[in-house]
Amino acid sequence: VSMLTRGSYVGKYTGKGRGPAHQRYFWVDAYTGELCWLRSPSDFSKNPAATQAHVIIGAATGASAAVRGRRDYEPSGKHRFAFTVSAGERTLDLVAPDEDHMRMWVDGLNCLVAFGAQLLVEMLADAQANSSVA
């Protein structure tokens, strides 16, 4: 789960899965537990207000119906590592670069939903311990 607080790039479809995919940097805020994203980590220092953040409700492997309905849908190609995240009132259509990243996001987000407060406290303790070691 600590990998989620560091974040990674994931493809995010616009237009409820019907628009183009753009690479966005996703992470979980260790203080709020919200799923956050923006174009790149450097954008945060320039304009923190540009960050999108939503409460995580759940995640599932596989493309949404909107992505599966695309004319360019390739279940064994570019959409092979597709997954969906329910966040706040939104459903995010995402594509990871590989299976490990997809599993990290789906399993990690579902763990946060199930064990949220306890995991966040542990992640903060780990982060503080790692910063005092450096």
Side-chain angles (χ1 to χ4, degrees):
V1 175
S2 65
M3 292 293 295
L4 299 180
T5 61
R6 287 186 223 138
S8 68
Y9 281 97
V10 177
K12 177 185 168 295
Y13 281 96
T14 61
K16 298 181 181 178
R18 293 183 297 276
H22 299 284
Q23 289 296 305
R24 295 292 183 256
Y25 193 80
F26 282 80
W27 74 97
V28 172
D29 184 291
Y31 294 97
T32 65
E34 292 178 314
L35 180 64
C36 305
W37 69 93
L38 43 68
R39 286 183 188 220
S40 73
S42 63
D43 288 349
F44 184 79
S45 60
K46 296 175 194 167
N47 184 10
T51 302
Q52 296 284 321
H54 291 279
V55 173
I56 305 158
I57 297 169
T61 58
S64 69
V67 172
R68 288 191 313 270
R70 296 171 60 92
R71 289 190 356 215
D72 67 343
Y73 179 62
E74 298 175 18
S76 58
K78 66 183 174 182
H79 299 103
R80 182 175 178 187
F81 305 116
F83 63 103
T84 57
V85 175
S86 297
E89 296 179 9
R90 298 182 66 167
T91 297
L92 304 173
D93 296 300
L94 307 171
V95 178
D98 55 47
E99 185 174 6
D100 289 340
H101 277 86
M102 179 185 68
R103 283 270 155 231
M104 174 190 75
W105 282 106
V106 172
D107 295 346
L109 292 175
N110 285 326
C111 278
L112 279 176
V113 170
F115 306 104
Q118 178 184 349
L119 286 174
L120 289 173
V121 167
E122 290 171 12
M123 287 188 318
L124 286 172
D126 287 346
Q128 289 171 347
N130 289 336
S131 67
S132 65
V133 171

